[in-house]
Amino acid sequence: MRGLLIKDILLLKNQMRFFLLFFFLSAGMLLADFDSVFVINYVTLIFSLFTLSSISYDEFDNGYAFLFTLPISRNQYAAEKYIFGLLTGGSAWITVTIFAVIMNLVRGRADAGELVVMAFLYLFISFLFLAAVVPVQLKFGAEKGRLVLILLIGVIFAAGFIVVKTAKAFQLDLSSAAESVTAFSLGPVMIVLFLISLAAVFVSYLVSVKIMKKKQF
């Protein structure tokens, strides 16, 4: 598995200019006083998406047939993609969150703690995003996978729209409900969200292993 990680990291080195440009862009957005939570969420998701790029590279020109002549199992291949996604997304999250907190402190704002909490929330969301996209990419490939992901995102937005409309129809205040949950105890809520995101990643990994075992090269 270490060899697979080295391979994907070396592939990322070919895109080092993009990395530097993106980090400078993110730093510029924070310096320009953009919404810190938005920047953290955006950067974390973008870097997590490099897992999909690594899968596309592996598929290119019948690459799987060559790759699996090496002493690696399909379980290891699937596991490496999640580890790689967590490493890239997590590294970007840590870097941008630290910079955002520093900028808030320099500007004399007292909401650094709230910013960190929101940053953790979006880190968990990036875990869920990774859990959703990796099996789709492995199952359908690069081209069809994009269409399926667009459809999946559309379904999520449609579900959210239906929930909001239903709540309004029954005169339910979703914001008040969310505030009451977070006011109950922030620590347990964050722990539950963390466990849910890890469980989603684990279930997604099991699905990805099944997909890889059914592939013929």
Side-chain angles (χ1 to χ4, degrees):
M1 187 182 298
R2 185 176 66 179
L4 290 172
L5 282 171
I6 293 173
K7 171 187 69 68
D8 286 343
I9 291 172
L10 289 176
L11 286 174
L12 288 184
K13 286 182 65 177
N14 296 329
Q15 305 180 41
M16 188 57 66
R17 290 183 180 179
F18 174 79
F19 277 116
L20 294 175
L21 176 63
F22 201 79
F23 269 119
F24 280 123
L25 177 63
S26 304
M29 292 171 69
L30 292 173
L31 288 171
D33 205 13
F34 275 66
D35 185 359
S36 299
V37 174
F38 166 77
V39 177
I40 293 170
N41 180 39
Y42 183 64
V43 172
T44 303
L45 288 178
I46 288 295
F47 275 79
S48 296
L49 278 174
F50 279 105
T51 301
L52 304 186
S53 297
S54 70
I55 296 174
S56 297
Y57 276 118
D58 293 341
E59 292 177 338
F60 181 71
D61 202 15
N62 201 26
Y64 277 138
F66 170 77
L67 190 62
F68 282 99
T69 61
L70 302 175
I72 58 172
S73 68
R74 304 192 183 206
N75 298 53
Q76 289 174 325
Y77 179 85
E80 186 270 338
K81 293 307 174 187
Y82 290 93
I83 293 172
F84 180 67
L86 294 176
L87 285 176
T88 53
S91 299
W93 177 83
I94 290 172
T95 303
V96 178
T97 300
I98 290 175
F99 189 71
V101 170
I102 291 173
M103 291 305 302
N104 272 32
L105 293 176
V106 168
R107 292 188 174 104
R109 295 173 181 169
D111 60 346
E114 181 181 346
L115 174 61
V116 172
V117 171
M118 292 301 297
F120 270 106
L121 175 61
Y122 283 108
L123 178 64
F124 302 154
I125 291 175
S126 72
F127 288 175
L128 295 174
F129 180 75
L130 187 68
V133 298
V134 171
V136 170
Q137 184 81 352
L138 291 175
K139 176 68 175 179
F140 297 101
E143 297 301 324
K144 292 182 180 179
R146 291 191 188 98
L147 298 176
V148 175
L149 286 176
I150 292 173
L151 178 61
L152 179 62
I153 293 172
V155 169
I156 292 173
F157 275 103
F161 178 79
I162 291 172
V163 168
V164 171
K165 287 296 184 180
T166 303
K168 287 184 178 180
F170 289 94
Q171 297 182 345
L172 299 175
D173 191 349
L174 294 178
S175 60
S176 298
E179 289 177 2
S180 64
V181 171
T182 54
F184 173 71
S185 184
L186 187 59
V189 170
M190 297 298 287
I191 291 173
V192 169
L193 291 175
F194 176 67
L195 293 176
I196 290 174
S197 61
L198 284 185
V201 170
F202 180 70
V203 172
S204 176
Y205 161 72
L206 296 179
V207 173
S208 295
V209 168
K210 287 187 176 180
I211 292 171
M212 289 304 300
K213 286 184 176 180
K214 290 181 179 179
K215 279 184 174 290
Q216 299 294 327
F217 309 123

